[in-house]
Amino acid sequence: MENEINALKEQLAASRQEPRADAEQFRLKFLSKKGSVSVLIDAFRALPPDEKKKWGKDLNQLKAAAEAIYEDLKQGEAASVDTVATHVVFDIPVYLHEPGGKHPINLVRDEMLQIFSKLGFEPAEGPELEDDWHNFGALNFAENHPARDMQDTFFAGDRVLRTHTSSVQIREMESKKPPLRLVMPGRVYRNEAVSARSNCFFHQLEGLYIDENVSFADLKQTLFYFVSAFFGEGTKIRFRPSYFPFTEPSAEMDIWAGTETEEDRRLTKGTGWLEILGCGMVHPNVLKNCGIDPEKYSGYAFGMGLDRIAMLRYGVKDIRDFFHNDIRFLQQFAAY
Ligand code: PHE
């Protein structure tokens, strides 16, 4: 009897792990007149009384568990807490729910944080609703200067939805003393025409390194290291001069996305290159604005676009796909 009960327990456990088992098949196999639970109960009836005493409880539990599984299967869902509580058979594994997964933007963010943590960069965060000083003023955007038009801003009363994570640089430099080595991920907002390559909100990872004698070569080396760690050795990049009011000199980096398909051409405006970051040496005025002596300290900063990086990593051709919350899209990342 013992062997048979154990064998049946195992079979039931196995059937529980099969998430789309058919209820009727289960009933036929275990609970119908010729089903293995019923057959075992028939055998039990023929036992002498002292044997019956020994096995009766186990068998009842087994039957109750089989019935509970059958009910679950019929309802097409996992055992409710009630069913489990009244028919406790601890060695039958619970019916597995499909697990959730991380959002692709978070997958990319976490991997980037990890790469930078190896280089000694610590994470920091700041608010999405910012004041003009942290988003613009301290970053050397002159009042009424056209540079402010670079980033079409959403205003909220006397505040703004931050247009970049560079605002977090300012908060960190104001509140901490160099040396600083930080990475600051977060969501940013821009009042831009929405398209396959730009959305009205997106995500950045800001980097900041302030110390004595930090050079442009250090910046380049860090970014190149990042690209080969994240995208692999030999990734095709373009590093070109640019302008930001808060860095001098400034640069931008593009990654080769190709021009083969119509989608690639649309995404890269026909060039094959996708811009993933802006960077540069922190402007002395910015250091001064945060109470850091530019005679003593220098540093670099960069702001990477997480959404663009996720598009390159996963071959997503439209940035908006990340935010429809379509379960069929999101499920593709559950295994990562
Ligand atoms: N804040 C810039 C942007 O959003 C990127 C940047 C960050 C450039 C840091 C230079 C230094 O486009």
Side-chain angles (χ1 to χ4, degrees):
M1 202 55 168
E2 187 171 2
N3 286 344
E4 281 148 335
I5 288 179
N6 283 338
L8 203 50
K9 269 187 189 166
E10 268 168 33
Q11 280 179 40
L12 284 178
S15 81
R16 270 223 154 167
Q17 280 172 321
E18 160 64 65
R20 305 210 196 295
D22 184 275
E24 182 54 17
Q25 263 174 16
F26 180 88
R27 191 189 68 80
L28 286 172
K29 190 164 169 204
F30 294 104
L31 292 167
S32 69
K33 267 204 181 128
K34 296 220 168 95
S36 31
V37 174
S38 315
V39 168
L40 201 59
I41 289 173
D42 288 343
F44 169 81
R45 292 213 173 93
L47 292 176
D50 58 329
E51 283 281 296
K52 272 193 182 153
K53 237 191 216 153
K54 206 163 154 195
W55 301 114
K57 206 171 150 206
D58 272 1
L59 213 51
N60 271 337
Q61 276 191 350
L62 207 57
K63 187 174 173 218
E67 282 166 356
I69 295 175
Y70 176 54
E71 285 306 314
D72 292 346
L73 288 174
K74 269 208 299 198
Q75 287 168 20
E77 53 185 43
S80 71
V81 175
D82 280 346
T83 328
V84 172
T86 48
H87 311 290
V88 182
V89 180
F90 287 107
D91 45 1
I92 294 183
V94 289
Y95 198 2
L96 292 175
H97 280 282
E98 288 195 41
K102 276 191 195 170
H103 190 278
I105 302 291
N106 290 352
L107 285 168
V108 160
R109 177 201 59 196
D110 292 350
E111 188 177 333
M112 290 166 70
L113 288 176
Q114 218 167 17
I115 291 173
F116 282 108
S117 88
K118 286 192 201 147
L119 299 176
F121 286 80
E122 285 169 32
E125 282 185 84
E128 292 181 19
L129 194 58
E130 258 305 358
D131 49 51
D132 187 88
W133 171 252
H134 289 96
N135 196 78
F136 294 119
L139 286 158
N140 201 33
F141 285 80
E143 204 71 46
N144 302 322
H145 190 278
R148 288 190 188 228
D149 293 341
M150 277 170 75
Q151 308 186 339
D152 303 287
T153 310
F154 285 116
F155 294 92
D158 62 349
R159 313 243 215 135
V160 302
L161 286 176
R162 69 178 175 197
T163 58
H164 51 186
T165 44
S166 301
S167 53
V168 190
Q169 280 185 43
I170 300 301
R171 291 189 173 273
E172 292 296 315
M173 285 191 281
E174 280 173 345
S175 61
K176 292 179 185 153
K177 292 214 152 24
L180 295 173
R181 216 186 249 258
L182 299 165
V183 268
M184 299 153 275
R187 179 172 285 187
V188 303
Y189 301 82
R190 289 189 200 173
N191 191 2
E192 277 182 7
V194 170
S195 72
R197 46 183 281 130
S198 351
N199 197 18
C200 51
F201 66 88
F202 55 99
H203 302 81
Q204 291 187 328
L205 182 101
E206 191 85 8
L208 178 70
Y209 178 34
I210 307 284
D211 204 343
E212 289 175 36
N213 301 318
V214 179
S215 73
F216 195 79
D218 297 330
L219 167 62
K220 240 175 122 172
Q221 192 184 24
T222 303
L223 293 178
F224 288 15
Y225 169 79
F226 164 76
V227 170
S228 55
F230 188 89
F231 289 108
E233 301 271 341
T235 302
K236 222 169 133 187
I237 61 163
R238 199 163 70 163
F239 195 65
R240 55 188 167 73
S242 185
Y243 171 78
F244 299 100
F246 39 95
T247 48
E248 181 61 34
S250 306
E252 284 179 321
M253 190 192 274
D254 308 328
I255 301 255
W256 181 249
T259 51
E260 265 129 63
T261 66
E262 180 58 40
E263 285 168 322
D264 286 336
R265 289 190 290 274
R266 189 184 58 191
L267 184 63
T268 64
K269 290 188 177 157
T271 65
W273 294 104
L274 192 63
E275 182 211 317
I276 60 151
L277 67 88
C279 63
M281 301 306 292
V282 178
H283 196 290
N285 289 351
V286 175
L287 295 175
K288 265 186 246 161
N289 287 338
C290 301
I292 294 174
D293 179 2
E295 299 295 329
K296 180 161 183 214
Y297 292 104
S298 59
Y300 63 70
F302 54 82
M304 301 186 168
L306 293 186
D307 315 69
R308 296 255 178 103
I309 289 172
M311 289 169 86
L312 290 165
R313 163 59 65 84
Y314 301 118
V316 173
K317 306 295 181 184
D318 191 319
I319 190 170
R320 294 166 288 193
D321 287 344
F322 288 124
F323 311 113
H324 291 311
N325 269 339
D326 184 331
I327 193 81
R328 293 165 301 178
F329 175 82
L330 296 173
Q331 254 167 355
Q332 301 176 87
F333 304 95
Y336 284 95

